[in-house]
Amino acid sequence: MTETRLIACSIPDDLRTPVPGPDLTATTAADVARIIVAQDTALGEANDKIVAVDRIADECDAKATQQ
């Protein structure tokens, strides 16, 4: 008979929170540029969180296959 084991991974709360986009209004081309930069920064932060969660999941999978 095969035994099933549950492996739990702990994901830190800071990786589980959304990254807010900028709340800016554009009236000039410079404003549009600032919004684009802010959006890009938020997207980069969100992607970093996804990579970190993926790394934790990979480590959890590795532990599960070792047992």
Side-chain angles (χ1 to χ4, degrees):
M1 179 181 282
T2 302
E3 181 180 338
T4 301
R5 296 178 127 194
L6 177 63
I7 305 293
C9 296
S10 179
I11 306 295
D13 287 342
D14 65 320
L15 295 178
R16 301 179 76 177
T17 56
V19 177
D23 186 21
L24 304 171
T25 304
T27 54
T28 67
D31 292 340
V32 172
R34 279 192 285 279
I35 291 171
I36 290 170
V37 169
Q39 287 282 16
D40 185 59
T41 301
L43 178 60
E45 185 180 336
N47 284 337
D48 289 346
K49 286 183 173 190
I50 292 167
V51 169
V53 169
D54 188 50
R55 192 174 306 123
I56 291 168
D58 285 346
E59 290 171 5
C60 196
D61 286 345
K63 287 179 187 176
T65 57
Q66 291 173 356
Q67 294 185 356

